Amino acid sequence: VLFRSSPSPSPSLSPSPSPSVSVSVPVSMSVFSSASSISTERIFVSIPSYRDSECHVTINDLFAKAKHPERVFVGVCWQFDPEEDQAIRSIPIQNSAQVRVLDIPAEAAKGPCWARHLIQSLWEGEEYYLQIDSHMRFRENWDVMLIQDLKLCNSPKPILTSYPVGYELPNKIPSETRSSLLCARNFDTKDGMLRISGKLLASTQREPIRSLFWASGFSFSDSRVIQEVPYDPFLKFLFFGEEMSMAVRLYTNGWDFFAPRENVLYHLWSRAYRPTFRQLRDVNGLEVVSQKRVRTLLQQEPIHAIESVTHESQTDSKVGPSSTGSIIGSRGEPGDPQLLGVYGLGTARTLQQYEEMSGVNFRNRSLDVRALQGGQSPQAFNDFALSLLAKMVQF
């Protein structure tokens, strides 16, 4: 079984001199129409990278394996240490004219949600949106496979998502082509956040399978999702809680989740080779504020249980407000659902409808069999998943 573990601090990379680097942080998210007169279908790929030596390799592999690399465009939020990461940044990138980069010092990083929000400002109207991590490998013709699978989904607003099968360094990619399906695991007793696992399916599928949950490290959809459900920049230093907050926001905005017919890309689950953003000091307690924001969104605690946002979390948000609407109200209380605006729940469906669909009760923090099995019978899964997936480093 594959599951997301908390990123633990890793030893620093060996230092090497580097010139100073300028910081480029957008003030607002650019909004373009998803309609296009261009007959070719383009893909915008979002990649947040925190001091990751695999990021360049990921980008190069992405272009090398695409059937139509000229239709692929990448947005990267590169969070790096200018003194220690020069060797990483000096690795050549293929198709560099199609790569849009935000350079940010590692010490200014605020976690994956914040970084993914910044990257969405680099979107320039490409028809499809692929969100991944900075340590991935791809199958040949992955771009065509994803578009074909998306068009097979029985939904007007489908999203392909799963926890990909793992690869190992330096480039040990398994031959496994079966996909995994996201299943609920448990509610954490400390932070109250739902943990998700990925179970390998017993066989490849004729069509994408409905999924109850959503994964941040692999999500492919129409790019309308950027405008309809933009990433919340106030979820700073948040790790657990990202996927469930986005899942309910997406679902209540009318989006449906599917596992692809086959595994299309591979993920490096070990973090032993790199630092993580957990090395940074969260001196203002922004992770706690973010967790309360998520729990309030999920109606796990009363609206007024959220404490006022700190001065730092307001003034540091050069990322917004976005052009899609106000982030918070004048009272500066980011946890109040009435003040979440575009970062709150949608109106197409309710949170209660998501709970009924998924088998999850957020208020009681309980799971039924449907949630634990991803809506499938036990026979749908492979009995030997552990031997086929890369082991994860536990926190």
Side-chain angles (χ1 to χ4, degrees):
V1 177
L2 189 63
F3 56 92
R4 201 181 193 207
S5 66
S6 182
S8 56
S10 303
S12 298
L13 304 177
S14 53
S16 57
S18 173
S20 59
V21 185
S22 60
V23 183
S24 175
V25 179
V27 174
S28 63
M29 184 177 71
S30 302
V31 178
F32 297 80
S33 170
S34 60
S36 175
S37 60
I38 303 174
S39 59
T40 56
E41 296 176 310
R42 302 161 298 163
I43 300 174
F44 176 68
V45 186
S46 167
I47 306 177
S49 176
Y50 182 86
R51 306 190 62 192
D52 192 348
S53 58
E54 281 290 283
C55 186
H56 294 73
V57 188
T58 295
I59 295 173
N60 289 340
D61 194 63
L62 179 152
F63 283 116
K65 302 288 180 57
K67 184 172 183 178
H68 300 291
E70 72 281 359
R71 302 179 192 173
V72 177
F73 298 84
V74 178
V76 184
C77 182
W78 232 306
Q79 302 152 93
F80 63 97
D81 187 318
E83 294 185 356
E84 297 185 5
D85 298 342
Q86 184 178 15
I88 296 176
R89 294 302 305 273
S90 64
I91 302 173
I93 296 179
Q94 304 300 318
N95 300 70
S96 58
Q98 294 164 238
V99 181
R100 306 158 195 161
V101 179
L102 293 173
D103 283 335
I104 297 178
E107 62 184 13
K110 295 293 187 294
C113 297
W114 179 81
R116 295 191 206 276
H117 172 82
L118 292 179
I119 297 169
Q120 289 185 335
S121 72
L122 301 176
W123 173 61
E124 294 185 1
E126 291 83 7
E127 290 78 13
Y128 295 103
Y129 176 61
L130 173 61
Q131 180 173 294
I132 60 173
D133 290 333
S134 56
H135 28 272
M136 312 288 283
R137 295 291 186 272
F138 298 79
R139 288 180 62 183
E140 292 286 348
N141 302 326
W142 63 267
D143 50 337
V144 173
M145 294 173 69
L146 288 179
I147 292 174
Q148 288 177 342
D149 268 19
L150 198 68
K151 292 181 177 180
L152 288 173
C153 295
N154 184 23
S155 168
K157 298 168 71 172
I159 299 176
L160 295 173
T161 187
S162 70
Y163 283 172
V165 174
Y167 75 93
E168 297 179 358
L169 292 174
N171 208 32
K172 298 178 181 179
I173 303 174
S175 58
E176 182 59 67
T177 59
R178 289 172 294 180
S179 185
S180 70
L181 186 68
L182 298 170
C183 303
R185 190 154 58 95
N186 64 279
F187 279 96
D188 186 76
T189 56
K190 293 182 180 180
D191 59 33
M193 300 299 171
L194 179 63
R195 302 300 197 256
I196 300 295
S197 64
K199 295 184 179 181
L200 193 66
L201 292 166
S203 63
T204 58
Q205 307 297 308
R206 285 190 168 187
E207 59 186 20
I209 295 181
R210 286 268 180 175
S211 178
L212 310 182
F213 305 103
W214 177 86
S216 61
F218 166 46
S219 176
F220 182 74
S221 66
D222 187 289
S223 61
R224 288 177 298 162
V225 74
I226 297 175
Q227 295 173 292
E228 293 187 13
V229 195
Y231 250 82
D232 186 345
F234 283 113
L235 295 182
K236 296 177 181 178
F237 286 94
L238 185 75
F239 188 71
F240 292 118
E242 172 188 7
E243 294 183 332
M244 283 316 306
S245 64
M246 282 298 292
V248 299
R249 289 180 60 212
L250 289 163
Y251 186 81
T252 57
N253 275 280
W255 296 84
D256 296 306
F257 314 129
F258 296 83
R261 290 179 295 172
E262 297 184 12
N263 189 72
V264 181
L265 60 164
Y266 302 87
H267 185 279
L268 180 58
W269 290 103
S270 171
R271 300 189 184 97
Y273 73 99
R274 62 182 172 90
T276 77
F277 78 95
R278 289 296 194 195
Q279 290 180 257
L280 302 173
R281 292 182 61 201
D282 179 14
V283 295
N284 291 288
L286 297 180
E287 181 181 21
V288 173
V289 174
S290 297
Q291 289 173 342
K292 288 184 176 181
R293 181 175 174 87
V294 172
R295 287 196 296 268
T296 304
L297 177 77
L298 301 177
Q299 299 179 12
Q300 289 181 307
E301 56 184 69
I303 288 176
H304 299 296
I306 283 291
E307 59 194 51
S308 295
V309 67
T310 65
H311 175 72
E312 189 275 343
S313 64
Q314 289 187 35
T315 58
D316 182 60
S317 295
K318 297 178 181 178
V319 297
S322 75
S323 57
T324 54
S326 176
I327 296 176
I328 58 173
S330 58
R331 288 184 290 159
E333 296 171 346
D336 191 334
Q338 300 174 28
L339 301 179
L340 289 172
V342 72
Y343 304 113
L345 299 177
T347 58
R349 292 181 287 214
T350 66
L351 177 63
Q352 288 68 35
Q353 286 177 307
Y354 177 78
E355 290 182 316
E356 292 171 3
M357 182 276 294
S358 65
V360 176
N361 187 306
F362 291 108
R363 186 179 295 274
N364 296 335
R365 301 183 185 183
S366 62
L367 305 168
D368 67 17
V369 174
R370 176 175 174 78
L372 296 170
Q373 292 294 333
Q376 302 294 317
S377 67
Q379 291 74 27
F381 303 103
N382 178 49
D383 291 335
F384 304 100
L386 280 174
S387 66
L388 297 171
L389 299 176
K391 294 181 180 179
M392 293 188 67
V393 177
Q394 298 303 305
F395 179 59

